[in-house]
Amino acid sequence: MTSNRKALVGLVVVGFFILVALFAPFVAPAGPNQRVARPHEPPSAEHVLGSTRMGRDVLSQTIHGTRTSLMVGFVAGLVVTVVGVAVGVTSGYFGGRVDEALNLLTNVVLVIPNLPLMLVLAAFVGEAGPLTIATIIGLTAWGWGARVTRAQTLSLRQRDYILASELLGEPAWRIILVELLPNLTSIIGFNFIGSVLYALITEATLEFLGLGDPLALSWGTNLYHAQETSALRVGAWWEIAAPSLALVLFGSGLSLINFAVDEIANPRLRTLRVPKRILAALRPVGPAE
Amino acid sequence: MVFLLRRLGFYVAAFLFAATFNFLIPRLMPGNPIDTMFAQAGTALPPESLDALKATFGFLDAPLPVQYLHYLGSVFTWDLGLSVKFYPLTVNQVLLRALPWTLLLVMTSSLTAFAIGSLAGARAAWRRGGTFDSVGAPGALMLQAVPPLVTSLLALSLFSISLKWLPTGFAWDPMLDLTWSWASVSSVLIHAVLPVATMALAQIGGYLVTMRNSMINLLGEDYITLGQAKGLSDRRLRLVYAAYNALLPALTSFAMSLGAVFGGSLVTEVVFNYPGLGYTLYEGITSRDYPLIQGQLLIMTLAMLSANFVADTLYILVDPRLRRA
């Protein structure tokens, strides 16, 4: 993957944010809720990204916010992927009634508008904490992954080696875990990265709309507080810019990785040259379509 | 035809599912939303008045199945009850007042993004690996990673607050009485510029990538090579042979996105205080107006399902191969 420049840049950016999240208390110049400056101070040498109305350091708030934002992104992404793959593989492998029922469920999840549904759920829960938000996102967004996984499983299922395993009397769980899943790796990876990105944006949106726990500290709540204290109206653009920039940068990093995964899995879409032997090592067994 | 009927059956099932879900959420959630809703009134009201109030807003003290039947009846007669926040308006009236604004935003932004994105995608695919493609394709993907929340906040901050070129919010100048005069129309248009632009920006990337990928897959087909061998002009090959056929996936994603954009316009509407469905849902949520929230979810689901049905129908009309199935 390192021969692909997009993937490399993406990995560096995402890795950087993960490190920031892990070491937040050590890299942030101040505590996230400490009063260290006067209200609405513009960026300066002392406070690189300025201060909020409460006199908190914007850079420190953004750095600490990285933890929750990334956590929600990865947890929700994991839930989305696991549910999607489980439903898709079961549906595609067993076929028949099971497939019909699961496929119907998948299609229903796909056509019910996600954001309003999540807003309604979050509103009824009331001040949802970050983990609740991650769960809500995870449970409403697995439809796409399930559909893609099912399609790929259906095509893999026709292969001779699966038939051979069945004739040898291997149990279904073994065929699924050992024979099918490894060949679904690129689709699962693509699904996971996309879901993390989606969850990150959705969490920020829910928090911004004031549906989350206002005491939680994430890029979304930072935006929410900036909006609540009319930061924009008084010209304190840095308060909006810092979490926005973090969201955009991290999102772009994920996007680049996804783009690279897509190119490796579907060689027709490639624009950069990747040596054939690297491709051969990365490509899943059988055609990628 | 059979295909369409089956799809229609599916949409009815999906709608029932959503409606049931809508019914169950407030009843299964911890705490009692009905009491929360009337908490302020409750301190000042005797229990009988509170019961009367609940009855007015359509909350029954009946067993769950009876409540459910009652609820389904009201859904199919489209009687969504009274709004708590906008009392004495009904939920229907509140939604009807907001609908045109959201339609304006959704339709204009989607059409703009579809046109620009598809043209750019076709161009990128035609000269694959060229400058336009190498910048445009990853650029489009990066654009998708930018949340509409961020673009709208930044656009508001730059064009409305710093530069003062455009209004900071609402759908028209509140000093004006809304009529079909030029003053009103131009005010509505100016107020729509930023919301439409930020919503379009969020969608362009998706169309570009869909169009590019579907066109690249087509360019390898034999009939394109045949067309080239016949000596057809580049332009004809590109537009009639390739782009027209590549439009199919883009077209379905267009119709499908209409439903999603309904949800997506919410953020934009909140940032710009734009009085559409999304902003109304937001107001309903902040004031715990449960009848309004539930009505919103129903209407948005219905919009999404209709958009999907339109997509299915379009697909059959445009792709003759499907008519046989």
Side-chain angles (χ1 to χ4, degrees), chain A:
Chain A
M1 233 202 233
T2 44
S3 72
N4 190 321
R5 235 185 327 167
K6 285 177 205 141
L8 188 65
V9 175
L11 284 174
V12 168
V13 171
V14 170
F16 169 77
F17 275 99
I18 292 177
L19 285 180
V20 166
L22 286 177
F23 298 105
F26 305 102
V27 271
N33 294 324
Q34 248 175 308
R35 237 172 229 272
V36 289
R38 296 189 324 162
H40 287 321
E41 241 179 69
S44 63
E46 199 183 343
H47 300 288
V48 185
L49 294 177
S51 72
T52 70
R53 176 158 145 202
M54 307 297 287
R56 290 166 185 158
D57 183 48
V58 173
L59 175 65
S60 306
Q61 281 212 312
T62 312
I63 288 176
H64 283 273
T66 309
R67 294 193 140 181
T68 311
S69 285
L70 260 58
M71 193 269 285
V72 171
F74 284 117
V75 170
L78 202 67
V79 177
V80 171
T81 315
V82 169
V83 177
V85 169
V87 171
V89 168
T90 317
S91 188
Y93 181 76
F94 291 103
R97 288 262 165 87
V98 179
D99 182 35
E100 251 170 57
L102 287 179
N103 201 23
L104 178 74
L105 189 66
T106 308
N107 284 327
V108 168
V109 170
L110 274 172
V111 290
I112 293 179
N114 273 347
L115 189 63
L117 179 65
M118 276 185 294
L119 286 175
V120 171
L121 278 173
F124 281 115
V125 173
E127 293 200 355
L131 274 178
T132 315
I133 288 188
T135 318
I136 291 177
I137 295 173
L139 293 181
T140 47
W142 52 267
W144 184 82
R147 174 180 276 187
V148 182
T149 314
R150 172 178 174 267
Q152 179 75 357
T153 311
L154 278 177
S155 110
L156 284 175
R157 186 145 182 22
Q158 312 296 324
R159 303 278 151 78
D160 291 340
Y161 74 95
I162 300 281
L163 191 67
S165 316
E166 277 175 350
L167 288 177
L168 282 173
E170 280 194 40
W173 65 264
R174 211 193 112 86
I175 297 182
I176 288 177
L177 285 183
V178 182
E179 318 280 4
L180 281 177
L181 279 187
N183 290 319
L184 291 169
T185 317
S186 77
I187 280 190
I188 295 173
F190 194 73
N191 185 5
F192 177 68
I193 301 168
S195 304
V196 173
L197 177 58
Y198 170 82
L200 189 83
I201 293 178
T202 309
E203 185 265 348
T205 309
L206 288 181
E207 296 276 14
F208 173 77
L209 294 175
L211 288 166
D213 173 6
L215 295 177
L217 198 75
S218 75
W219 296 336
T221 48
N222 290 351
L223 285 174
Y224 167 72
H225 289 301
Q227 171 88 349
E228 282 289 284
T229 55
S230 315
L232 270 188
R233 315 264 157 186
V234 300
W237 51 267
W238 50 89
E239 229 184 300
I240 299 273
S244 298
L245 205 67
L247 270 168
V248 171
L249 271 178
F250 186 66
S252 308
L254 286 176
S255 224
L256 279 172
I257 298 180
N258 236 354
F259 202 61
V261 170
D262 202 18
E263 282 180 352
I264 290 162
N266 187 357
R268 273 181 163 182
L269 303 179
R270 221 176 314 136
T271 48
L272 291 168
R273 285 166 154 258
V274 180
K276 275 216 177 83
R277 74 195 140 76
I278 293 177
L279 260 181
L282 282 166
R283 201 174 327 163
V285 180
E289 296 298 315

